[in-house]
Amino acid sequence: MEALYVLIPLSTVLVFLAIWVFFRASDSGQFDDLEGPALRILHDDDSPVAADDQAAG
C-alpha cells in the first residue's frame, strides 16, 4: 500500500514528461514529412546513359 504513494506520483510525472516531449518534437517539425524520406530512397538519380559514359571513359 505504501508503494502506491510513490508509484502514482511517479507515473503521473512520467506521463506528463512523455506528453511534453511529444509536443516539443511536434512543435520543432519532427513529424512534418513522414513519407518523404521513405520515398526519397526509391528515386534513382543515376541514369543508364551516365553509367555507360563512365564505363567507357
Side-chain angles (χ1 to χ4, degrees):
M1 186 66 175
E2 291 83 19
L4 289 177
Y5 294 129
V6 174
L7 291 177
I8 290 175
L10 186 64
S11 63
T12 304
V13 167
L14 187 64
V15 166
F16 282 119
L17 180 68
I19 291 172
W20 178 77
V21 167
F22 172 75
F23 280 112
R24 182 160 172 124
S26 179
D27 286 342
S28 70
Q30 185 74 28
F31 305 115
D32 284 349
D33 186 15
L34 296 177
E35 294 179 10
L39 295 176
R40 192 175 308 131
I41 194 69
L42 299 175
H43 295 291
D44 190 14
D45 292 337
D46 299 332
S47 64
V49 175
D52 291 338
D53 289 341
Q54 289 178 355

